[in-house]
Amino acid sequence: MMINADQNELDKFSQLAHRWWDPNSDFKPLHDINPLRLAWIDGHCQLAGKRVLDVGCGGGLLSEGMCEKGATVTGIDLSDKALSVARLHLLESGRELDYRQISAEELAAQQAGSYDVVTCMEMLEHVPDPASTVAACAALTRPGGHVFFSTINRNPKAYLLAVIGAEYVLRMLPKGTHDYARFIKPSELARWVRAAGLEPDQLRGMSYNPFSRHYALGTDSDVNYLLHTVKNV
């Protein structure tokens, strides 16, 4: 099986992995949005008692948050450095999670229909074949289960704000974090999820106010957006 990963992308995030849990590091935006996306996910599926898979878990920020909500969480990623940081942080937090270095596609071949909830956040824009990742997430979910995605829209406004603004003007992210050509329109993601047997339920935009330095969920999906889907029974 060909691994759906870009080695350059893995290397880029591996170099920063040791700073994953520093709220004032390059990962500050993830720390800032984590409470928002965690509450949004929990509001749709009530995480307590659920079996959850976090695809592209990185250093485990969302994985640990979902664990704290009472879910049984498995986090998967292809970056060994990010997973090492995630496992190391468990020693500090005392939480119990299972982290595995495996692709979503490979795990889907082993554990189809095994999870109540699958999350794939801020990852699709970093893989060569995002439709393949979407299909794997769907395959891993039980009928009636929930799959959550978040990514970045592809339009001039998104380029201006997510690339020029965030990386070069505000310097919220390292230069080169995002490749505009890999951004994904909501219509494209909706097509992929339907082809995978998922039904789109709610699309939410995520906006950033550079003056208050706060993120908020709303109806504006021009730049960052989240999509909740349910697997067809």
Side-chain angles (χ1 to χ4, degrees):
M1 179 187 294
M2 289 289 291
I3 295 180
N4 182 23
D6 183 328
Q7 191 58 49
N8 290 332
E9 293 290 294
L10 290 175
D11 292 343
K12 181 165 62 183
F13 287 100
S14 291
Q15 290 169 5
L16 299 169
H18 64 287
R19 306 190 67 187
W20 207 285
W21 283 91
D22 179 354
N24 296 309
S25 71
D26 301 300
F27 294 103
K28 185 180 190 306
L30 279 185
H31 285 265
D32 290 343
I33 68 174
N34 202 51
L36 276 179
R37 61 184 185 175
L38 184 59
W40 178 73
I41 292 167
D42 190 45
H44 278 288
C45 66
Q46 290 74 55
L47 287 162
K50 297 293 196 304
R51 190 176 185 199
V52 178
L53 177 70
D54 187 14
V55 176
C57 64
L61 199 60
L62 179 62
S63 297
E64 284 208 23
M66 293 190 292
C67 181
E68 191 174 9
K69 290 285 187 182
T72 299
V73 182
T74 298
I76 64 171
D77 205 287
L78 290 174
S79 169
D80 58 337
K81 288 187 178 179
L83 290 175
S84 294
V85 169
R87 292 185 181 111
L88 187 63
H89 195 265
L90 291 180
L91 299 177
E92 298 178 26
S93 68
R95 299 192 180 102
E96 293 186 11
L97 281 91
D98 179 24
Y99 288 118
R100 297 184 61 186
Q101 188 174 4
I102 189 172
S103 70
E105 289 85 350
E106 188 177 354
L107 188 63
Q110 300 174 7
Q111 296 184 6
S114 294
Y115 296 91
D116 302 308
V117 178
V118 174
T119 60
C120 181
M121 317 297 276
E122 287 82 46
M123 178 196 165
L124 291 177
E125 68 271 22
H126 296 291
V127 297
D129 186 356
S132 173
T133 301
V134 170
C137 290
L140 284 155
T141 310
R142 65 165 176 79
H146 303 261
V147 187
F148 297 88
F149 300 100
S150 67
T151 188
I152 307 176
N153 205 336
R154 188 176 71 254
N155 56 50
K157 180 179 176 180
Y159 178 73
L160 182 65
L161 296 181
V163 179
I164 302 300
E167 297 181 18
Y168 291 86
V169 179
L170 299 177
R171 297 183 181 180
M172 296 164 56
L173 299 168
K175 293 176 182 178
T177 296
H178 293 120
D179 178 355
Y180 173 73
R182 287 183 167 177
F183 289 179
I184 300 165
K185 293 182 179 181
S187 58
E188 294 168 336
L189 182 54
R191 186 169 70 249
W192 297 335
V193 302
R194 287 193 174 99
L198 301 171
E199 189 61 35
D201 172 63
Q202 185 186 62
L203 178 74
R204 299 288 279 169
M206 183 181 293
S207 57
Y208 177 74
N209 185 321
F211 300 104
S212 65
R213 297 186 179 181
H214 284 113
Y215 289 86
L217 296 183
T219 57
D220 183 358
S221 58
D222 288 350
V223 186
N224 297 82
Y225 65 93
L226 307 94
L227 180 66
H228 168 235
T229 70
V230 178
K231 184 167 182 178
N232 296 329
V233 177

